[in-house]
């Protein structure tokens, strides 16, 4: 197949972009029904994409692009358990984690769904014991604190879900997260709690990750310093991993290990056993509801025609913004404080998946791949970076996310919150012309400063309430958006070779820092000097 940018459909899209003047003011004026027409519902989510810079022809061409790029074929290959993660030769089956019990999904000829349910049942039995105070610590005390130790995919999903679903959590069970190898993270997470009431979840697919192992050893030492008995590990440590051997080596009884599989990528694992902290917080029934939300979006993605397929449409419009309108970044703006960690979660999902510059065949790419994803909850962002989105020189695509019902009893404030969401997307799309600014009596010298060009594209996503179900559906939506974009860009969305080099160098440098002298340093002159300076000045145990 010719290179993406040389295909007639890509050229047709480029020509279509060049040929048109698509200010959103004009598009809305030309079609009074536009706000109803460009909308869609799926798995409890309503999408309004009318404020995107697209028309029927743009959508027709984009849908053709998806068809010609073989998105449906690739999706079906993923769902069949084919090893579509080509560089790691792995199947990609996060959809199996939320499959219906009677579904059959095979990897290498064996059905993986029964194993998924078996682990879920073990997680549920364990979570129930901890939540009900039945699982006691070594000294017989009830567990009051749970500390999840993990990083990347073994941290970002669990933290995000815990924050998102706090309203559904058992409030007397405090859940904390430690990820950074910076000891400050562990120190602050444990300084005000007692080992006899604390349960550590060591969450690591490989059980070899430097940061997680360093924190897990720190946790072990912290707990045993007080409990003074190796046998305490059994009551205060559980593992979530695919590596039973390493778990046992660390001293955790594999009876207290919850497994998953190599076909679950780290950043696609929050609904596997990696979600144990989530289940401890919200309970097995709510966890099931979250899986059902994921599954509902999976089914929509699998069955809906592309023109009415929410992940496909959002992926295509995102690609239009990135590759044709030149939007280098994608802001995610949840008008829900509980979703404050959602942008950070999405950063890993999207950028680790699609931040690639070679095709599946290893050819260099000459088009942009993943946008830079970022965001903060509204309304806080409005008092910070929105200035640039409204009046800066760069085009920023925005996804607004909101809910009809509040989870707090402060309903009037919820109305204010949502008023802000609607106001922002309106202001971004339509702006304010110089004539409008003048008509307000603005002195001429100030007019240019008060003009808003508008034509800033955004999606608005609305659901009834932030619940485990709607959160699951939302995460699955973005998982599939990421998949569709990766399929069109012809990249491996499921590997992450770009994180390797830094890891290797860090190991080498850690040994050099610990060495008796710096004579053997053989990096470039900058790195050598930095390491020398650090070795000469590091503080040791200053208190
Ligand atoms: C995710 C990545 C990465 C991974 C972490 C933690 O897709 O692979 O973020 O989740 O490096 O890995 P472990 O779970 O093996 O500790």
């Amino acid at each position: 197949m010719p290179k993406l940018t040389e295909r007639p459909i890509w050229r047709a899209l480029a020509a279509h972009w060049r040929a048109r003047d698509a200010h959103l003011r004009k598009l809305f004026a030309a079609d009074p029904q536009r706000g109803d027409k460009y909308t869609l519902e799926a798995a409890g989510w309503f999408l309004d994409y009318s404020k995107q810079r697209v028309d029927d022809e743009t959508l027709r061409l984009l849908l053709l692009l998806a068809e010609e790029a073989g998105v449906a074929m690739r999706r079906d290959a993923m769902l069949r358990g084919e090893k579509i993660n080509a560089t790691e030769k792995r199947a990609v089956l996060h959809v199996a984690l939320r499959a219906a019990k009677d579904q059959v999904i095979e990897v290498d000829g064996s059905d993986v769904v029964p194993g998924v349910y078996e682990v879920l049942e073990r997680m549920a039995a364990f979570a129930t014991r901890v939540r009900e105070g039945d699982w006691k610590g070594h000294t017989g005390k009830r567990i009051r604190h749970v500390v999840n130790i993990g990083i990347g995919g073994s941290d970002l999903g669990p933290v995000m879900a815990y924050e998102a679903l706090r309203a559904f959590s058992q409030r007397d069970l405090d859940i904390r997260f430690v990820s950074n190898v910076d000891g400050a993270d562990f120190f602050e997470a444990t300084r005000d709690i007692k080992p006899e009431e604390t349960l550590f979840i060591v969450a690591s697919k490989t059980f070899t990750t430097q940061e997680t192992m360093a924190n897990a050893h720190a946790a072990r030492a912290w707990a045993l310093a007080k409990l003074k008995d190796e046998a305490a590990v059994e009551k205060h440590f559980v593992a979530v991993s695919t590596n039973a051997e390493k778990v046992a080596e660390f001293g955790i009884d594999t009876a207290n290990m919850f497994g998953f599989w190599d076909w679950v990528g780290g950043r696609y694992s929050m609904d596997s056993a990696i979600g144990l902290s989530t289940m401890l917080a919200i309970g097995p029934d709510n966890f099931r509801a979250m899986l059902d939300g994921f599954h509902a979006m999976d089914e929509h993605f699998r069955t809906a025609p592309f023109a009415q397929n929410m992940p496909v449409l959002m992926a295509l419009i995102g690609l239009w913004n990135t590759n044709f309108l030149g939007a280098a970044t994608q802001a995610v703006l949840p008008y829900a404080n509980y979703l404050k960690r959602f942008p950070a979660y999405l950063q890993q999902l999207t950028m680790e998946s699609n931040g690639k510059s070679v095709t599946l065949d290893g050819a260099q790419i000459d088009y942009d791949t993943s946008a830079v994803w970022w965001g903060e909850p509204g309304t806080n962002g409005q008092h910070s970076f929105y200035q640039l989105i409204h009046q800066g020189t760069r085009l920023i695509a925005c996804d607004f996310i909101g809910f009809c019902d509040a989870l707090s009893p402060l309903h009037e404030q919820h109305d204010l919150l949502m008023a802000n969401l609607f106001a922002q997307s309106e202001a971004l799309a339509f702006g304010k012309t110089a004539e409008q600014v003048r008509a307000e009596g603005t002195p001429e010298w100030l007019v240019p400063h008060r003009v808003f060009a508008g034509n800033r594209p955004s999606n608005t996503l609305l659901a009834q309430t932030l619940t485990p179900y709607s959160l699951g559906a939302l995460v699955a939506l973005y998982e599939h958006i990421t998949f569709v974009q990766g399929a069109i860009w012809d990249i491996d969305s499921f590997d992450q070779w770009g994180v390797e080099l830094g890891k290797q160098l860090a190991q080498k440098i850690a040994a050099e820092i610990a060495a008796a002298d710096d004579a053997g340093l053989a990096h470039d002159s900058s790195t050598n000097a930095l390491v020398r300076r650090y070795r000469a000045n590091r503080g040791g145990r200053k208190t």
Side-chain angles (χ1 to χ4, degrees):
M1 210 195 266
K3 268 178 35 181
L4 183 58
T5 45
E6 283 165 13
R7 287 186 218 151
I9 182 61
W10 193 270
R11 294 203 165 137
L13 276 159
H16 169 67
W17 170 72
R18 278 194 298 271
R20 56 203 291 274
D21 168 17
H23 197 291
L24 284 163
R25 285 180 203 133
K26 278 195 185 166
L27 292 174
F28 273 85
D31 179 2
Q33 302 309 316
R34 186 177 168 93
D36 290 324
K37 182 172 156 194
Y38 290 148
T39 64
L40 195 60
E41 295 201 43
W45 282 93
F46 170 80
L47 166 69
D48 176 346
Y49 58 100
S50 64
K51 294 191 183 86
Q52 293 286 352
R53 284 160 58 172
V54 296
D55 59 17
D56 288 349
E57 179 62 2
T58 329
L59 293 169
R60 188 186 71 80
L61 292 170
L62 287 168
L63 287 163
L64 208 56
L65 172 69
E67 210 175 287
E68 290 187 10
V71 170
M73 222 172 63
R74 227 173 131 64
R75 173 197 62 194
D76 296 343
M78 171 171 78
L79 301 179
R80 271 197 309 273
E82 278 178 34
K83 300 198 171 158
I84 62 158
N85 175 357
T87 69
E88 296 181 322
K89 299 191 169 50
R90 285 181 182 161
V92 175
L93 273 181
H94 39 277
V95 292
L97 299 169
R98 54 265 189 158
K101 209 168 188 171
D102 56 359
Q103 239 173 294
V104 175
I105 303 178
E106 293 187 345
V107 177
D108 293 331
S110 78
D111 183 10
V112 298
V113 178
V116 167
Y117 276 84
E118 194 225 319
V119 173
L120 280 171
E121 276 156 30
R122 286 186 55 231
M123 286 166 66
F126 173 72
T128 304
R129 285 187 68 191
V130 174
R131 286 164 62 84
E132 291 178 355
D134 189 24
W135 175 283
K136 302 266 193 298
H138 186 61
T139 63
K141 288 206 167 145
R142 188 178 177 144
I143 298 296
R144 297 278 174 207
H145 312 282
V146 175
V147 181
N148 187 81
I149 298 178
I151 195 165
S154 300
D155 170 68
L156 287 161
V159 182
M160 181 278 287
Y162 177 59
E163 291 297 340
L165 301 175
R166 256 177 199 267
F168 298 83
S169 69
Q170 183 170 312
R171 300 290 188 159
D172 65 356
L173 191 61
D174 159 48
I175 308 216
R176 302 175 180 206
F177 297 85
V178 172
S179 54
N180 201 321
V181 76
D182 182 346
D185 201 4
F186 180 81
F187 175 74
E188 289 297 335
T190 51
R191 56 176 286 281
D192 59 343
I193 57 177
K194 297 189 179 98
E196 49 275 39
E197 298 175 342
T198 303
L199 174 77
F200 289 97
I201 302 174
V202 185
S204 176
K205 183 174 169 183
T206 54
F207 229 74
T208 56
T209 304
Q210 182 202 56
E211 293 91 335
T212 301
M213 288 303 108
N215 280 317
H217 283 287
R220 205 169 183 281
W222 177 84
L224 293 185
K226 180 85 184 286
L227 299 171
K228 299 190 187 316
D229 184 355
E230 281 285 330
V233 171
E234 193 188 318
K235 292 288 171 209
H236 294 273
F237 284 81
V238 297
V240 178
S241 188
T242 56
N243 191 341
E245 205 178 303
K246 290 276 176 201
V247 168
E249 223 174 81
F250 180 85
I252 297 177
D253 187 343
T254 46
N256 297 334
M257 168 180 155
F258 301 89
F260 59 115
W261 306 271
D262 79 345
W263 41 263
V264 184
R267 53 193 175 274
Y268 297 86
S269 67
M270 61 169 276
D271 46 345
S272 72
I274 288 291
L276 183 61
S277 57
T278 315
M279 195 191 272
L280 282 162
I282 64 173
D285 292 346
N286 279 322
F287 195 83
R288 182 71 250 170
M290 183 179 82
L291 297 182
D292 291 345
F294 271 100
H295 182 66
M297 190 58 81
D298 293 345
E299 282 302 283
H300 167 78
F301 177 51
R302 186 175 70 82
T303 57
F306 278 8
Q308 282 99 46
N309 194 309
M310 199 180 282
V312 172
L313 272 183
M314 283 181 72
L316 290 172
I317 293 169
L319 184 140
W320 171 246
N321 290 334
T322 302
N323 295 113
F324 296 93
L325 301 192
T329 85
Q330 170 72 54
V332 185
L333 308 164
Y335 278 64
N337 211 53
Y338 285 120
L339 287 180
K340 64 183 174 199
R341 296 291 292 169
F342 190 62
Y345 170 78
L346 275 194
Q347 283 186 319
Q348 186 194 18
L349 176 67
T350 56
M351 296 201 280
E352 199 166 43
S353 296
N354 287 342
K356 311 285 162 67
S357 55
V358 294
T359 64
L360 278 165
D361 292 337
Q364 197 62 38
I365 278 173
D366 64 353
Y367 42 89
D368 278 325
T369 55
S370 178
V372 175
W373 289 66
W374 58 289
E376 277 289 320
T379 58
N380 299 12
Q382 290 174 210
H383 296 264
S384 158
F385 52 79
Y386 276 45
Q387 164 65 39
L388 183 148
I389 307 183
H390 284 287
Q391 287 189 315
T393 52
R394 296 164 197 281
L395 185 71
I396 315 280
C398 298
D399 282 357
F400 291 96
I401 301 172
F403 298 91
C404 297
D405 288 335
L407 285 170
S408 86
L410 305 177
H411 293 281
E412 278 174 28
Q413 285 189 217
H414 192 71
D415 292 345
L416 276 179
L417 175 72
M418 295 305 287
N420 273 281
L421 186 165
F422 303 136
Q424 289 300 324
S425 69
E426 182 182 0
L428 286 171
F430 302 103
K432 199 189 252 188
T433 62
E435 293 68 51
Q436 289 171 309
V437 174
R438 277 190 201 103
E440 288 171 350
T442 307
E444 199 54 33
W445 64 270
L446 196 53
V447 169
H449 299 277
R450 298 192 59 187
V451 166
F452 289 67
N455 215 19
R456 267 69 170 159
S458 69
N459 287 316
T460 300
L461 279 164
L462 293 179
Q464 189 62 39
T465 320
L466 175 54
T467 59
Y469 185 94
S470 61
L471 180 72
L474 182 69
V475 173
L477 170 63
Y478 280 94
E479 284 178 347
H480 300 318
I481 290 171
T482 305
F483 173 85
V484 172
Q485 293 187 336
I488 296 174
W489 286 325
D490 193 24
I491 55 184
D492 190 332
S493 299
F494 301 101
D495 61 11
Q496 55 282 314
W497 299 104
V499 302
E500 291 303 320
L501 178 58
K503 277 193 206 170
Q504 285 161 14
L505 289 172
Q507 272 188 353
K508 186 167 178 317
I509 294 175
E512 288 162 355
I513 288 172
D517 58 53
D518 55 18
L521 284 180
H523 303 272
D524 59 277
S525 59
S526 161
T527 311
N528 284 344
L530 289 167
V531 173
R532 274 199 199 101
R533 174 172 282 264
Y534 176 70
R535 287 187 91 251
N537 293 291
R538 69 194 167 128
R541 302 284 166 278
K542 282 183 197 153
T543 47

